[in-house]
Each structure stands twice: as C-alpha cells, then as structure tokens.
Amino acid sequence: MAKILVVDDSRSLRQMVCFTLREAGYDIVEATNGVEALEAAKAESTDLVLSDVNMPEMDGITLVGELRKLGSYRFTPILMLTTESTTDMKMKGKQAGATGWLVKPFDPDKLLATIKRVLR
C-alpha cells in the first residue's frame, strides 16, 4: 500500500486523518510543520503528501515549493487539507505545485476518494 506523509500542526486533526488513512490500509509518516515534513521527506520517500497550509516554522505553501525542488518529490502528488478556501490561496498552492485542495473539516470518504484518484 502507498505511504503518505501527513503534515498538520493540530495533533487532533492529524490523528483523525492518520486514523482514516491507516484504516484504509495506507502507511503513514507524520510531521507537525513544514520543516519537520521536509526533513522526513528527505529521509524517506512517500507516495503522496497531505499538508495543512497554516503551520508554524514553515507553512504548507512553502513546503510544497521546497518539496518540488527535491528530485524525488518532483512528481509526487501533494494535496492541501486546510481551512483556507479563498481562490487566492488556492492559486498560491497551485503555483507552488500543489496537486489538489481539500477544505476542513474533511469528509473521510471524500478524502480517501481523492487520494485514490491522485495515486493512479
């Protein structure tokens, strides 16, 4: 099964997302902010990144840009899971290289369907 890097500074939300993904059979790597996620991404490759936008130390948009600079993450799907829903923020994410955008609170079925679709 695919390995997913889940990045969110909210422990409770990260736990809910990780539970949903583990129940669906995915392997999980967790990070609490962009800096930690970048270190995790350099240490081991994952098949998909699911990241929040607003986090301390390094936000999700900057993380996407930094991951795209890494050869191993150049084509890896990166989904944003955030409370941000403005067109401006979505455009910033897309310009940085994000693959898709999901708005919190998340629907587990929709999250899993989106992940399945982008991992094809």
Side-chain angles (χ1 to χ4, degrees), residues 35-105:
V35 172
E36 192 175 296
L38 194 56
E39 291 173 8
K42 289 177 180 175
E44 61 181 305
S45 65
T46 61
D47 302 294
L48 183 141
V49 177
L50 181 63
S51 178
D52 188 12
V53 170
N54 298 313
M55 300 179 289
E57 298 190 45
M58 180 189 294
D59 65 79
I61 302 296
T62 303
L63 172 63
V64 172
E66 292 300 314
L67 287 172
R68 292 299 186 212
K69 293 177 186 174
L70 302 175
S72 58
Y73 280 85
R74 190 170 179 186
F75 301 109
T76 301
I78 303 174
L79 296 174
M80 309 309 292
L81 179 61
T82 177
T83 56
E84 296 284 348
S85 62
T86 64
T87 301
D88 184 51
M89 285 302 287
K90 291 178 182 178
M91 288 304 299
K92 286 180 182 177
K94 187 173 184 176
Q95 289 170 348
T99 308
W101 197 276
L102 298 166
V103 178
K104 296 176 186 173

Side-chain angles (χ1 to χ4, degrees), residues 11-25:
R11 183 177 179 199
S12 59
L13 188 81
R14 196 175 62 252
Q15 287 177 333
M16 286 190 296
V17 169
C18 289
F19 176 80
T20 299
L21 298 177
R22 283 188 180 107
E23 286 293 306

